[in-house]
Amino acid sequence: MTSFNRPTLPNDIRTNGATPNPWWANAVVYQIYPRSFQDTNGDGFGDLKGITSRLDYLSDLGVDVLWLSPVYKSPQDDNGYDISDYRDIDPLFGTLADMDELLAEAHKRGLKIVMDLVVNHTSDEHAWFEASKNPDDPHADWYWWRPARPGTTPGEPGAEPNRWGSYFGGSAWEYDETRGEYYFHQFSKKQPDLNWENPAVRRAVYDMMNWWLDRGVDGFRMDVITLISKRTDSNGKLPGEAGSELEDGPIGEEGYSNPSPFCADGPRQDEFLAEMRREVFDGRDGFMTVGEAPGITAQRNEYITDPANGELDMLFLFEHVDFDSDGIKWKPRALELPKLKRIMAGYQTAVAKAGWASLFTGNHDQPRVVSRWGDDSNEDDRVRSAKALGLMLHMHRGTPYVYQGEELGMTDAHFTRLDQYRDLESLNAFRQRVEEAHVQTAESMMIGLAARSRDNARTPMQWDASKYAGFTAPDASTEPWISVNPNCAEINAAAEFDDPESVYAFYKRLIALRHDNPAVSAGSWTLVDADDEHVYAFVRSLGDERLLTVVNLSGRTVDLPAESAALVSETADSACGPISADAIVIATHDADHAVASLTKRELAPWEGVVIRI
């Protein structure tokens, strides 16, 4: 692992409760979706050499850590989140030598590399799973195998061990003729769940993680890591199995029950994470761990990320990106800002004394935030709302994550036809909900896909205005694996790189502010004007430094709400007095515009300001 070249926070400033302060307390992470980042060989897929070729861009942006979505060997059923060999690179992305080169070149620039770790499940083409099909093999109990329900014909509908549904549609059980039993998969049928109850499984996982750390990676982002512990009865039976002491949940509209209450944050979750910490990370320095955490509350986040408990450094919580829908992601609703503020306040309050927060609004599984909560209908509002949303997020306490293209204000794909989508979840959901269960119309589902499909974030990175946006050569014989967003002619890195008014330039300033101002990194966080429907406002405090962040997350001019207006008046000569430009820390418009707005106690559409009070 590389040493970190960013000054760390002094130990008299509390971060997550550890001493000394962790290096990542004032760092910023940049997520790369490798297949969509940079293609160097013209095959239509991004690759490791492409990432290496763009390291200077990332260094200029100022980020500290690069998180790579999976590049391991994989059949690519779920774009690499179905791993068939943890210790090799998929030829789609290159070779182990290419990975070593990327590590070396990143480390030369002071950038750390965090790999995606997918160990809740493997591919059904992994050697472990192939071996487990033989009940006499040592790997026989490495996955969740179960016989058909008594009195049924194995492989026929209704013979599944229980009624659990997969998050990707259909049953969560798949029949295997070789073994004559069903295996459990929370996601694709090509992603069987590993049985973490088996110590041999855990040992193999830890050995693999140590192998990568020894090779030079700087940590792991752990995919759905809070689903590894399943709830069973005293006889090891899952809920709803024949003879189980545990009752299953209700059947939903698609004809299946939800496994989440029995698989998320299970009874041995803390035990497994603590064991992982001891077996993999104890004795090492300079690493970072972050877990994707479905089913985890803000209060549980405090416990798991408290360094005294020896589990993980950070978690990704999801309540703030799950609430703006009508009970299911494919039925989106407009943003209710007071509700978002209450959720974010819960996150911040929970780790006020110990633990740490991850800050994100976008990733490879979420739509583009500027299309979701901003306004991408015209260029001016796209730029303004992208900056406003970035300011809102980055001024919170925790570690911010920037998803590739977010720093440019990239938008949703705006696909209009089903054949434009590539995402397994989206295609399966359309089939399940529209064609099989008939619980949503095709028209409604297409609206849902346009708003929430994971493919919105997976279109190629927009480097320039050329035919394929610079992702691959304009004369490449193979088109990109998914369509380039046509707005690359206007939205691209080449156009923004030297433009001081661009979204890119603003993100550079945001990232530098976190590095340079301890109050932004580690100061306390207090929500104000919680019920205002347009302005998101909060105070960051550290010692004598007090920073008020006010962001208008609407497309119209609004008055500053009462609490914010009163705080602004503290820095003015009188209750209605002017504001000094020296008090402006950062703003989405220029300082003069921010002064004029605050002096009038109002904010322009999508205007955000941080002011010393």
Side-chain angles (χ1 to χ4, degrees):
M1 289 177 283
T2 184
S3 59
F4 190 59
N5 63 0
R6 183 80 56 208
T8 55
L9 293 168
N11 289 328
D12 60 350
I13 297 174
R14 194 200 72 75
T15 57
N16 69 330
T19 302
N21 276 322
W23 60 266
W24 38 258
N26 61 338
V28 178
V29 183
Y30 188 95
Q31 183 190 357
I32 292 174
Y33 197 66
R35 66 168 44 213
S36 297
F37 194 64
Q38 180 69 69
D39 173 23
T40 61
N41 61 6
D43 67 354
F45 295 89
D47 45 54
L48 291 174
K49 286 185 176 296
I51 299 171
T52 302
S53 74
R54 296 295 187 177
L55 289 175
D56 287 340
Y57 167 88
L58 296 166
S59 181
D60 178 84
L61 181 60
V63 296
D64 309 289
V65 184
L66 309 181
W67 151 29
L68 310 185
S69 285
V71 292
Y72 313 93
K73 193 171 183 180
S74 166
Q76 302 296 323
D77 180 63
D78 187 26
N79 288 9
Y81 283 87
D82 49 315
I83 297 169
S84 58
D85 188 343
Y86 287 105
R87 301 196 189 200
D88 201 1
I89 299 297
D90 195 281
L92 191 70
F93 302 117
T95 65
L96 276 171
D98 294 336
M99 185 68 193
D100 291 339
E101 180 187 23
L102 172 58
L103 287 167
E105 291 299 318
H107 290 169
K108 283 180 185 177
R109 294 164 174 80
L111 296 169
K112 288 178 176 280
I113 299 287
V114 166
M115 292 188 74
D116 223 311
L117 183 76
V118 189
V119 290
N120 172 73
H121 49 265
T122 69
S123 167
D124 66 343
E125 297 182 32
H126 196 291
W128 296 345
F129 185 76
E130 290 291 339
S132 78
K133 293 179 181 180
N134 180 354
D136 297 322
D137 190 277
H139 295 82
D141 193 34
W142 282 42
Y143 296 84
W144 291 87
W145 290 100
R146 291 293 188 271
R149 295 188 71 84
T152 64
T153 302
E156 293 294 320
E160 296 85 1
N162 66 15
R163 295 301 303 275
W164 284 354
S166 163
Y167 303 126
F168 283 1
S171 173
W173 295 96
E174 183 71 10
Y175 183 68
D176 179 75
E177 291 186 356
T178 301
R179 178 151 170 162
E181 290 186 316
Y182 289 85
Y183 63 85
F184 175 54
H185 58 91
Q186 293 185 73
F187 299 93
S188 164
K189 66 182 181 180
K190 290 185 67 62
Q191 293 171 298
D193 275 43
L194 283 164
N195 178 12
W196 273 68
E197 299 293 319
N198 188 330
V201 170
R202 305 199 300 274
R203 180 72 267 160
V205 168
Y206 304 154
D207 287 347
M208 173 269 294
M209 294 172 69
N210 276 301
W211 184 85
W212 276 110
L213 291 172
D214 291 343
R215 200 171 189 103
V217 304
D218 301 290
F220 298 99
R221 175 267 186 186
M222 302 179 187
D223 186 66
V224 294
I225 197 65
T226 53
L227 301 184
I228 59 176
S229 173
K230 279 67 169 173
R231 186 181 175 196
T232 60
D233 71 5
S234 60
N235 297 308
K237 290 183 177 293
L238 295 166
E241 275 195 82
S244 176
E245 300 162 355
L246 301 175
E247 291 187 9
D248 198 358
I251 303 299
E253 64 178 359
E254 295 179 15
Y256 300 97
S257 61
N258 182 8
S260 179
F262 308 104
C263 296
D265 199 18
R268 301 185 69 186
Q269 184 71 54
D270 293 318
E271 176 190 346
F272 291 157
L273 292 179
E275 180 184 68
M276 177 189 291
R277 189 78 169 206
R278 293 192 304 271
E279 295 295 322
V280 179
F281 299 104
D282 277 3
R284 296 183 185 271
D285 295 314
F287 64 85
M288 186 189 89
T289 61
V290 54
E292 186 185 27
I296 297 294
T297 64
Q299 290 68 37
R300 283 287 288 139
N301 178 67
E302 177 188 23
Y303 183 89
I304 292 172
T305 65
D306 184 340
N309 297 321
E311 296 190 25
L312 297 176
D313 297 328
M314 290 171 259
L315 293 176
F316 293 133
L317 305 185
F318 292 100
E319 187 181 1
H320 71 295
V321 290
D322 287 342
F323 79 96
D324 57 342
S325 63
D326 189 15
I328 185 168
K329 70 181 290 183
W330 310 117
K331 295 181 178 180
R333 295 190 307 201
L335 173 66
E336 297 177 45
L337 186 59
K339 190 170 183 178
L340 174 65
K341 289 189 279 187
R342 287 193 293 272
I343 294 169
M344 296 295 285
Y347 292 173
Q348 295 281 296
T349 303
V351 293
K353 295 182 179 179
W356 200 244
S358 295
L359 310 174
F360 76 97
T361 50
N363 60 31
H364 64 291
D365 287 335
Q366 300 295 329
R368 294 286 184 178
V369 69
V370 71
S371 299
R372 182 178 194 167
W373 293 339
D375 184 354
D376 67 0
S377 64
N378 63 80
E379 180 64 6
D380 286 344
D381 283 334
R382 180 192 68 83
V383 171
R384 290 173 183 147
S385 61
K387 291 179 181 180
L389 289 161
L391 180 67
M392 178 274 290
L393 183 74
H394 281 246
M395 286 303 297
H396 282 77
R397 185 173 185 272
T399 295
Y401 289 73
V402 178
Y403 179 70
Q404 65 181 47
E406 184 181 321
E407 78 280 9
L408 305 176
M410 281 180 60
T411 72
D412 280 353
H414 298 301
F415 290 150
T416 57
R417 305 188 318 273
L418 190 62
D419 64 5
Q420 293 174 292
Y421 290 93
R422 301 291 180 266
D423 176 36
L424 180 70
E425 180 194 40
S426 299
L427 297 174
N428 283 356
F430 187 94
R431 184 186 69 248
Q432 176 74 25
R433 297 185 61 77
V434 175
E435 299 173 355
E436 296 178 8
H438 305 293
V439 296
Q440 200 163 346
T441 66
E443 180 182 24
S444 168
M445 192 65 189
M446 289 302 296
I447 293 171
L449 291 178
R452 292 291 186 267
S453 172
R454 302 189 300 180
D455 277 341
N456 282 309
R458 299 178 179 186
T459 57
M461 179 71 174
Q462 294 168 205
W463 295 107
D464 59 41
S466 63
K467 180 179 179 181
Y468 296 127
F471 165 70
T472 194
D475 59 352
S477 58
T478 304
E479 293 187 347
W481 71 277
I482 190 171
S483 299
V484 173
N485 195 319
N487 64 23
C488 68
E490 297 77 39
I491 306 169
N492 62 74
E496 296 192 30
F497 193 80
D498 293 320
D499 179 359
E501 302 303 318
S502 68
V503 179
Y504 178 86
F506 186 72
Y507 264 73
K508 284 186 66 173
R509 292 168 57 204
L510 273 179
I511 293 166
L513 180 62
R514 176 164 296 271
H515 291 153
D516 298 338
N517 191 321
V520 176
S521 303
S524 64
W525 184 96
T526 305
L527 181 66
V528 297
D529 295 305
D531 295 325
D532 192 87
E533 296 182 352
H534 304 292
V535 175
Y536 196 147
F538 50 87
V539 175
R540 303 296 309 281
S541 301
L542 183 66
D544 295 333
E545 178 97 298
R546 294 178 71 214
L547 305 176
L548 171 66
T549 296
V550 286
V551 186
N552 177 11
L553 292 180
S554 77
R556 65 182 183 86
T557 299
V558 298
D559 292 332
L560 276 181
E563 293 177 72
S564 297
L567 290 168
V568 168
S569 295
E570 290 183 14
T571 195
D573 294 334
S574 65
C576 300
I579 304 299
S580 168
D582 292 339
I584 306 298
V585 177
I586 189 171
T588 55
H589 293 63
D590 60 42
D592 289 342
H593 192 288
V595 166
S597 291
L598 293 180
T599 297
K600 291 185 288 184
R601 304 303 190 264
E602 68 180 26
L603 291 171
W606 303 110
E607 183 171 20
V609 184
V610 178
I611 181 175
R612 289 189 177 89
I613 57 175

Short mmCIF file of all heavy atoms in Angstrom, two decimals, residues 413-444:
data_model
loop_
_atom_site.label_atom_id
_atom_site.label_comp_id
_atom_site.label_asym_id
_atom_site.label_seq_id
_atom_site.Cartn_x
_atom_site.Cartn_y
_atom_site.Cartn_z
N ALA A 413 -29.24 8.95 -18.98
CA ALA A 413 -29.15 8.55 -20.39
C ALA A 413 -30.34 9.03 -21.21
O ALA A 413 -30.22 9.26 -22.41
CB ALA A 413 -29.03 7.04 -20.48
N HIS A 414 -31.51 9.14 -20.57
CA HIS A 414 -32.75 9.51 -21.24
C HIS A 414 -33.09 8.54 -22.37
O HIS A 414 -33.52 8.94 -23.46
CB HIS A 414 -32.69 10.95 -21.76
CG HIS A 414 -32.53 11.97 -20.67
ND1 HIS A 414 -33.43 12.11 -19.64
CD2 HIS A 414 -31.54 12.89 -20.43
CE1 HIS A 414 -33.03 13.07 -18.83
NE2 HIS A 414 -31.89 13.55 -19.28
N PHE A 415 -32.93 7.25 -22.09
CA PHE A 415 -33.32 6.23 -23.06
C PHE A 415 -34.84 6.20 -23.19
O PHE A 415 -35.57 6.47 -22.23
CB PHE A 415 -32.84 4.84 -22.62
CG PHE A 415 -31.34 4.65 -22.70
CD1 PHE A 415 -30.69 3.79 -21.82
CD2 PHE A 415 -30.58 5.32 -23.65
CE1 PHE A 415 -29.32 3.59 -21.89
CE2 PHE A 415 -29.20 5.13 -23.72
CZ PHE A 415 -28.57 4.27 -22.84
N THR A 416 -35.31 5.83 -24.37
CA THR A 416 -36.76 5.77 -24.63
C THR A 416 -37.23 4.40 -25.08
O THR A 416 -38.43 4.17 -25.18
CB THR A 416 -37.16 6.80 -25.70
OG1 THR A 416 -36.40 6.55 -26.91
CG2 THR A 416 -36.87 8.23 -25.21
N ARG A 417 -36.28 3.48 -25.34
CA ARG A 417 -36.64 2.14 -25.81
C ARG A 417 -35.99 1.09 -24.91
O ARG A 417 -34.88 1.27 -24.44
CB ARG A 417 -36.17 1.90 -27.25
CG ARG A 417 -36.64 2.92 -28.26
CD ARG A 417 -36.27 2.47 -29.69
NE ARG A 417 -34.93 1.92 -29.78
CZ ARG A 417 -33.82 2.65 -29.99
NH1 ARG A 417 -33.91 3.97 -30.10
NH2 ARG A 417 -32.64 2.06 -30.07
N LEU A 418 -36.69 -0.02 -24.74
CA LEU A 418 -36.18 -1.08 -23.87
C LEU A 418 -34.87 -1.65 -24.42
O LEU A 418 -33.99 -2.03 -23.64
CB LEU A 418 -37.22 -2.18 -23.72
CG LEU A 418 -36.92 -3.25 -22.64
CD1 LEU A 418 -36.86 -2.60 -21.26
CD2 LEU A 418 -37.98 -4.35 -22.68
N ASP A 419 -34.73 -1.71 -25.75
CA ASP A 419 -33.52 -2.31 -26.31
C ASP A 419 -32.28 -1.45 -26.13
O ASP A 419 -31.16 -1.88 -26.45
CB ASP A 419 -33.71 -2.65 -27.80
CG ASP A 419 -33.95 -1.42 -28.68
OD1 ASP A 419 -33.89 -0.28 -28.17
OD2 ASP A 419 -34.21 -1.61 -29.89
N GLN A 420 -32.43 -0.24 -25.59
CA GLN A 420 -31.26 0.59 -25.29
C GLN A 420 -30.63 0.22 -23.95
O GLN A 420 -29.48 0.59 -23.69
CB GLN A 420 -31.66 2.07 -25.28
CG GLN A 420 -32.07 2.61 -26.64
CD GLN A 420 -32.58 4.03 -26.54
OE1 GLN A 420 -33.65 4.30 -25.96
NE2 GLN A 420 -31.83 4.97 -27.09
N TYR A 421 -31.38 -0.49 -23.10
CA TYR A 421 -30.88 -0.84 -21.78
C TYR A 421 -30.03 -2.10 -21.83
O TYR A 421 -30.26 -3.01 -22.63
CB TYR A 421 -32.04 -1.03 -20.81
CG TYR A 421 -32.75 0.26 -20.46
CD1 TYR A 421 -33.88 0.67 -21.19
CD2 TYR A 421 -32.29 1.08 -19.44
CE1 TYR A 421 -34.53 1.86 -20.89
CE2 TYR A 421 -32.93 2.27 -19.14
CZ TYR A 421 -34.04 2.66 -19.86
OH TYR A 421 -34.67 3.85 -19.57
N ARG A 422 -29.04 -2.14 -20.94
CA ARG A 422 -28.17 -3.30 -20.82
C ARG A 422 -28.22 -3.91 -19.42
O ARG A 422 -27.79 -5.04 -19.21
CB ARG A 422 -26.70 -2.90 -21.11
CG ARG A 422 -26.48 -2.31 -22.49
CD ARG A 422 -26.66 -3.35 -23.57
NE ARG A 422 -26.45 -2.79 -24.91
CZ ARG A 422 -27.42 -2.33 -25.68
NH1 ARG A 422 -28.69 -2.34 -25.24
NH2 ARG A 422 -27.17 -1.84 -26.87
N ASP A 423 -28.74 -3.17 -18.46
CA ASP A 423 -28.69 -3.57 -17.05
C ASP A 423 -29.60 -4.77 -16.77
O ASP A 423 -30.80 -4.75 -17.07
CB ASP A 423 -29.09 -2.39 -16.17
CG ASP A 423 -29.15 -2.75 -14.70
OD1 ASP A 423 -28.33 -3.56 -14.26
OD2 ASP A 423 -30.03 -2.21 -14.00
N LEU A 424 -29.02 -5.79 -16.18
CA LEU A 424 -29.75 -7.01 -15.84
C LEU A 424 -30.94 -6.72 -14.94
O LEU A 424 -32.04 -7.24 -15.15
CB LEU A 424 -28.80 -7.98 -15.16
CG LEU A 424 -29.35 -9.34 -14.73
CD1 LEU A 424 -29.65 -10.19 -15.96
CD2 LEU A 424 -28.33 -10.05 -13.83
N GLU A 425 -30.75 -5.88 -13.92
CA GLU A 425 -31.85 -5.57 -13.01
C GLU A 425 -33.01 -4.92 -13.75
O GLU A 425 -34.17 -5.27 -13.55
CB GLU A 425 -31.36 -4.63 -11.90
CG GLU A 425 -32.45 -4.25 -10.91
CD GLU A 425 -32.09 -3.08 -10.03
OE1 GLU A 425 -31.47 -2.12 -10.52
OE2 GLU A 425 -32.43 -3.12 -8.84
N SER A 426 -32.71 -3.96 -14.63
CA SER A 426 -33.75 -3.24 -15.34
C SER A 426 -34.53 -4.16 -16.27
O SER A 426 -35.77 -4.15 -16.30
CB SER A 426 -33.14 -2.09 -16.15
OG SER A 426 -32.49 -1.17 -15.31
N LEU A 427 -33.82 -4.97 -17.04
CA LEU A 427 -34.48 -5.86 -18.00
C LEU A 427 -35.31 -6.93 -17.28
O LEU A 427 -36.43 -7.25 -17.70
CB LEU A 427 -33.44 -6.50 -18.91
CG LEU A 427 -32.65 -5.52 -19.79
CD1 LEU A 427 -31.55 -6.24 -20.54
CD2 LEU A 427 -33.58 -4.79 -20.76
N ASN A 428 -34.75 -7.48 -16.20
CA ASN A 428 -35.50 -8.47 -15.43
C ASN A 428 -36.73 -7.86 -14.79
O ASN A 428 -37.80 -8.49 -14.72
CB ASN A 428 -34.61 -9.09 -14.35
CG ASN A 428 -33.64 -10.12 -14.91
OD1 ASN A 428 -33.68 -10.43 -16.09
ND2 ASN A 428 -32.78 -10.64 -14.06
N ALA A 429 -36.59 -6.63 -14.28
CA ALA A 429 -37.73 -5.98 -13.63
C ALA A 429 -38.85 -5.73 -14.63
O ALA A 429 -40.03 -5.90 -14.30
CB ALA A 429 -37.28 -4.67 -12.98
N PHE A 430 -38.51 -5.32 -15.84
CA PHE A 430 -39.55 -5.11 -16.85
C PHE A 430 -40.28 -6.42 -17.15
O PHE A 430 -41.52 -6.45 -17.20
CB PHE A 430 -38.93 -4.55 -18.14
CG PHE A 430 -39.95 -4.14 -19.17
CD1 PHE A 430 -40.39 -2.83 -19.23
CD2 PHE A 430 -40.48 -5.06 -20.06
CE1 PHE A 430 -41.35 -2.45 -20.17
CE2 PHE A 430 -41.44 -4.69 -20.99
CZ PHE A 430 -41.88 -3.38 -21.05
N ARG A 431 -39.53 -7.47 -17.33
CA ARG A 431 -40.15 -8.77 -17.62
C ARG A 431 -41.04 -9.22 -16.46
O ARG A 431 -42.18 -9.63 -16.66
CB ARG A 431 -39.08 -9.82 -17.90
CG ARG A 431 -39.66 -11.18 -18.30
CD ARG A 431 -38.60 -12.25 -18.44
NE ARG A 431 -38.02 -12.61 -17.14
CZ ARG A 431 -36.77 -12.34 -16.80
NH1 ARG A 431 -35.96 -11.71 -17.64
NH2 ARG A 431 -36.32 -12.68 -15.61
N GLN A 432 -40.50 -9.12 -15.24
CA GLN A 432 -41.22 -9.61 -14.08
C GLN A 432 -42.49 -8.80 -13.81
O GLN A 432 -43.58 -9.35 -13.62
CB GLN A 432 -40.31 -9.57 -12.84
CG GLN A 432 -40.98 -9.96 -11.53
CD GLN A 432 -41.24 -11.44 -11.43
OE1 GLN A 432 -40.55 -12.22 -12.08
NE2 GLN A 432 -42.22 -11.84 -10.63
N ARG A 433 -42.37 -7.47 -13.84
CA ARG A 433 -43.49 -6.62 -13.43
C ARG A 433 -44.51 -6.41 -14.53
O ARG A 433 -45.71 -6.31 -14.26
CB ARG A 433 -42.95 -5.27 -12.93
CG ARG A 433 -42.07 -5.39 -11.70
CD ARG A 433 -41.66 -4.03 -11.16
NE ARG A 433 -42.79 -3.21 -10.77
CZ ARG A 433 -43.47 -3.37 -9.64
NH1 ARG A 433 -43.13 -4.33 -8.78
NH2 ARG A 433 -44.49 -2.58 -9.35
N VAL A 434 -44.03 -6.34 -15.77
CA VAL A 434 -44.94 -6.03 -16.88
C VAL A 434 -45.47 -7.29 -17.56
O VAL A 434 -46.67 -7.43 -17.78
CB VAL A 434 -44.24 -5.12 -17.91
CG1 VAL A 434 -45.12 -4.89 -19.13
CG2 VAL A 434 -43.83 -3.80 -17.28
N GLU A 435 -44.57 -8.22 -17.87
CA GLU A 435 -44.94 -9.36 -18.69
C GLU A 435 -45.41 -10.57 -17.89
O GLU A 435 -46.21 -11.37 -18.40
CB GLU A 435 -43.76 -9.75 -19.57
CG GLU A 435 -43.34 -8.63 -20.53
CD GLU A 435 -42.06 -8.95 -21.29
OE1 GLU A 435 -41.44 -10.01 -20.98
OE2 GLU A 435 -41.66 -8.16 -22.15
N GLU A 436 -44.93 -10.71 -16.63
CA GLU A 436 -45.28 -11.90 -15.86
C GLU A 436 -46.28 -11.59 -14.75
O GLU A 436 -47.36 -12.18 -14.71
CB GLU A 436 -44.01 -12.53 -15.28
CG GLU A 436 -43.05 -13.05 -16.36
CD GLU A 436 -41.76 -13.63 -15.79
OE1 GLU A 436 -41.67 -13.76 -14.55
OE2 GLU A 436 -40.86 -13.94 -16.57
N ALA A 437 -45.95 -10.69 -13.84
CA ALA A 437 -46.84 -10.41 -12.71
C ALA A 437 -47.95 -9.41 -13.07
O ALA A 437 -48.96 -9.33 -12.35
CB ALA A 437 -46.04 -9.88 -11.53
N HIS A 438 -47.76 -8.65 -14.15
CA HIS A 438 -48.76 -7.67 -14.61
C HIS A 438 -49.14 -6.69 -13.50
O HIS A 438 -50.32 -6.37 -13.31
CB HIS A 438 -50.02 -8.40 -15.12
CG HIS A 438 -49.75 -9.41 -16.18
ND1 HIS A 438 -49.30 -9.08 -17.46
CD2 HIS A 438 -49.84 -10.77 -16.16
CE1 HIS A 438 -49.14 -10.18 -18.17
NE2 HIS A 438 -49.44 -11.22 -17.41
N VAL A 439 -48.13 -6.18 -12.79
CA VAL A 439 -48.40 -5.23 -11.71
C VAL A 439 -48.04 -3.80 -12.11
O VAL A 439 -48.25 -2.87 -11.33
CB VAL A 439 -47.64 -5.62 -10.43
CG1 VAL A 439 -48.15 -6.96 -9.91
CG2 VAL A 439 -46.13 -5.67 -10.67
N GLN A 440 -47.51 -3.62 -13.33
CA GLN A 440 -47.17 -2.29 -13.80
C GLN A 440 -47.30 -2.29 -15.32
O GLN A 440 -46.94 -3.27 -15.98
CB GLN A 440 -45.75 -1.90 -13.37
CG GLN A 440 -45.47 -0.41 -13.38
CD GLN A 440 -44.24 -0.03 -12.59
OE1 GLN A 440 -43.71 -0.82 -11.81
NE2 GLN A 440 -43.77 1.19 -12.76
N THR A 441 -47.81 -1.20 -15.87
CA THR A 441 -47.95 -1.11 -17.32
C THR A 441 -46.59 -0.88 -17.97
O THR A 441 -45.65 -0.38 -17.33
CB THR A 441 -48.89 0.03 -17.73
OG1 THR A 441 -48.28 1.28 -17.37
CG2 THR A 441 -50.24 -0.12 -17.05
N ALA A 442 -46.49 -1.21 -19.23
CA ALA A 442 -45.23 -0.99 -19.96
C ALA A 442 -44.89 0.49 -19.97
O ALA A 442 -43.72 0.87 -19.80
CB ALA A 442 -45.35 -1.53 -21.38
N GLU A 443 -45.88 1.34 -20.16
CA GLU A 443 -45.63 2.79 -20.20
C GLU A 443 -45.10 3.28 -18.86
O GLU A 443 -44.12 4.02 -18.80
CB GLU A 443 -46.92 3.53 -20.56
CG GLU A 443 -46.75 5.04 -20.63
CD GLU A 443 -48.05 5.76 -20.93
OE1 GLU A 443 -49.14 5.20 -20.64
OE2 GLU A 443 -47.99 6.89 -21.45
N SER A 444 -45.76 2.86 -17.77
CA SER A 444 -45.31 3.26 -16.44
C SER A 444 -43.91 2.73 -16.15
O SER A 444 -43.08 3.43 -15.56
CB SER A 444 -46.29 2.74 -15.39
OG SER A 444 -45.77 2.87 -14.09
#
